[in-house]
Amino acid sequence: MDIITSKDNEVYKNLKKLKTKKYRDLEGMFLAEGRKFLEFKETPKIIIFKEGVSEEIIEMAKDHDCRKIILTEKLFKELTSQENSQGVIICYNSKINELENLEDNIVILNRVADPGNLGTIIRVADAAGFKDIILTKGSVDCYNDKTVRSSMGSILSMNISYIDENEVVEFLKEKGYKIVVTALEKDSVPYTKMKLKEKNAFVFGNEGEGVSQDIIKSSDEKVIIPIYGSAESLNVAMATGIILYDVRNRLENR
């Protein structure tokens, strides 16, 4: 196991660069932090330990056949994104996801901006049995450290792709998807009354602005989640969970 003590070490400098989206895109790699990621079967590219990390964590990493390095506490502190780190960071190859072989029910995220929201959506979509998420370009990077952390590992098993906003409707129509958007419009219906077809794309929008008007106008059905109390609205991740679990329930009972 290599021990890195200098900030001028090339491996260390390259790992630090992965904290930026530009370099993640360029290198096709991203960082995930925490012992939880050692429990997944996905093969890491590198496992990085903090000097003095517990033997339990080192033991957990033995099942992974990859390069392992130790950083001094000072260097690790510059790499971690957590205040109370568990002392292990995993470097993975990014998945090359394509807009082919999609399942019949998919999730579309239109300019979702908050990394924590995206991570939670990835997690809840995975839990509800959805495997495909398409984000319109301009949405937050799915490999942002907060997104990866909030996904609790689900990012490793999801098919996540990006597409230009002005192309998404044409793409969905071409592939035969019914477009269902969450939108507060005059003709919106409660989500419990939406009608599913054989192939459906469920669209959720930006935290402040919702789904873009161009997508709303091109949609096949608009749905809302009724508010019965005094809350103004629901968080986009929560709204996504409510609707996806309703869809899952319908699919299971067809």
Side-chain angles (χ1 to χ4, degrees):
M1 195 180 303
D2 299 324
I3 300 176
I4 296 176
T5 60
S6 171
K7 66 179 181 180
D8 295 321
N9 180 279
E10 285 300 317
V11 173
Y12 177 69
K13 289 196 292 186
N14 289 335
L15 288 172
K16 275 197 73 175
K17 289 178 182 178
L18 292 177
K19 293 172 74 69
T20 66
K21 180 182 185 305
K22 178 181 178 180
Y23 199 75
R24 288 194 296 269
D25 290 345
L26 182 65
E27 294 298 315
M29 294 186 292
F30 70 98
L31 301 176
E33 185 163 0
R35 59 183 291 169
K36 179 73 176 175
F37 284 89
L38 295 174
E39 298 174 5
F40 298 107
K41 293 181 180 179
E42 190 81 13
T43 302
K45 187 173 180 64
I46 306 173
I47 299 178
I48 306 114
F49 301 108
K50 181 175 74 173
E51 188 177 34
V53 71
S54 71
E55 286 297 325
E56 180 186 2
I57 287 179
I58 292 177
E59 189 67 27
M60 289 175 67
K62 285 184 177 179
D63 290 337
H64 296 292
D65 183 16
C66 65
R67 184 176 185 183
K68 300 178 179 73
I69 62 175
I70 295 175
L71 299 181
T72 62
E73 188 169 347
K74 183 178 179 180
L75 294 183
F76 191 92
K77 188 174 181 180
E78 293 184 17
L79 190 63
T80 180
S81 60
Q82 299 182 18
E83 288 187 15
N84 299 303
S85 174
Q86 295 173 331
V88 61
I89 299 172
I90 297 90
C91 177
Y92 291 104
N93 287 319
S94 306
K95 289 186 177 180
I96 301 174
N97 297 313
E98 299 181 358
L99 296 169
E100 300 295 334
N101 302 317
L102 300 175
E103 295 190 348
D104 290 341
N105 293 279
I106 63 176
V107 178
I108 311 295
L109 302 179
N110 179 213
R111 295 176 295 154
V112 168
D114 183 87
N117 279 337
L118 177 55
T120 302
I121 290 170
I122 291 169
R123 184 180 179 186
V124 76
D126 183 19
F130 292 78
K131 291 300 177 187
D132 300 299
I133 296 178
I134 299 174
L135 295 98
T136 59
K137 290 180 180 178
S139 299
V140 66
D141 178 24
C142 68
Y143 294 122
N144 176 289
D145 56 5
K146 188 174 181 180
T147 300
V148 173
R149 184 166 66 251
S150 300
S151 80
M152 292 297 288
S154 288
I155 195 165
L156 300 176
S157 59
M158 298 293 286
N159 176 42
I160 303 174
S161 305
Y162 285 81
I163 189 172
D164 287 331
E165 183 172 319
N166 58 7
E167 296 176 359
V168 66
V169 171
E170 181 181 353
F171 171 80
L172 293 173
K173 297 283 189 184
E174 181 182 300
K175 297 295 183 180
Y177 286 95
K178 176 181 180 178
I179 303 174
V180 180
V181 301
T182 51
L184 188 59
E185 301 287 314
K186 290 182 179 179
D187 56 344
S188 295
V189 300
Y191 73 96
T192 53
K193 295 184 178 180
M194 66 179 164
K195 294 178 172 58
L196 300 183
K197 290 192 174 180
E198 192 63 32
K199 298 177 70 175
N200 306 279
F202 304 97
V203 187
F204 304 91
N206 174 269
E207 290 84 349
E209 301 174 1
V211 178
S212 74
Q213 282 299 312
D214 286 343
I215 296 178
I216 290 175
K217 290 175 183 176
S218 301
S219 66
D220 299 300
E221 188 169 23
K222 296 175 276 291
V223 300
I224 57 170
I225 299 174
I227 301 291
Y228 299 105
S230 58
E232 181 181 335
S233 62
L234 291 175
N235 170 278
V236 64
M238 184 178 293
T240 302
I242 290 170
I243 289 178
L244 293 189
Y245 265 93
D246 179 72
V247 171
R248 176 53 54 195
N249 182 59
R250 296 187 197 203
L251 295 175
E252 293 296 315
N253 290 286
R254 273 182 172 176

